[in-house]
Amino acid sequence: MSLLRDAVPADFERLAVGLPPQGLLLPEAGLMTAPVAMLIARHCGTLRARQGWGACLIVEGDLMVGFVMPKPTDAEGQAEFGYAISPGQRGRGLAGAAVGCFVERAAREGLSALLAETDPGNAGSIRVLERNLFTPVPPGGEGRLRWRRYLRR
């Protein structure tokens, strides 16, 4: 079974009311708040309509342990993305593996690069990006670290 599953708006709509996505379980509460889940549901629908793919659920067995969410691809074929792992599932390598799978998916979809931002104190997220061959680029807003991985040249 793949670590990533394409998400649909209904997955996040269910999360907004405390239910797991169809066919999955949640390891614990706390992955996202209801307003954030509804915002992601709308964004997920927009991405699917605009580019045919987008948000992915991070799944281990029958558990939804997190998600990966890109922004729309820009004119140069680059997209910024973010990811989250349920608090109780962190430290097990799931984020690194999921980001690796997402990089492969983005390359298959024809993207030229992926961009990400992290807080300077988020050592776990920094390691995830470094292990997936992202390199630092000029800083992002509000003191955040910015990263890029080229997928094709």
Side-chain angles (χ1 to χ4, degrees):
M1 176 181 257
S2 176
L3 187 61
L4 296 183
R5 179 178 110 178
D6 284 346
V8 296
D11 293 326
F12 294 101
E13 291 165 1
R14 289 178 59 86
L15 287 166
V17 296
L19 298 172
Q22 190 69 39
L24 296 174
L25 302 171
L26 293 174
E28 73 273 338
L31 185 59
M32 68 183 73
T33 64
V36 168
M38 289 308 295
L39 178 66
I40 291 174
R42 285 191 297 279
H43 184 67
C44 180
T46 301
L47 283 171
R48 289 177 65 79
R50 181 176 175 183
Q51 58 195 37
W53 74 287
C56 296
L57 303 179
I58 303 171
V59 177
E60 183 181 47
D62 61 354
L63 295 178
M64 179 200 163
V65 297
F67 64 93
V68 183
M69 173 67 72
K71 291 184 177 178
T73 305
D74 68 15
E76 289 85 38
Q78 301 181 102
E80 190 167 332
F81 78 105
Y83 53 91
I85 296 289
S86 187
Q89 303 298 313
R90 293 179 185 157
R92 300 180 43 233
L94 294 170
V99 167
C101 290
F102 190 76
V103 165
E104 291 173 10
R105 172 73 186 268
R108 282 194 311 271
E109 295 293 340
L111 272 68
S112 63
L114 284 171
L115 301 161
E117 286 190 356
T118 59
D119 289 321
N122 190 340
S125 192
I126 291 168
R127 278 192 308 278
V128 163
L129 294 171
E130 288 175 339
R131 288 179 181 157
N132 278 286
L133 306 179
F134 283 78
T135 56
V137 293
E142 300 178 21
R144 293 176 57 82
L145 302 177
R146 193 157 172 80
W147 304 83
R148 176 183 292 126
R149 167 133 181 221
Y150 288 104
L151 305 176
R152 59 184 161 98
R153 299 238 177 222

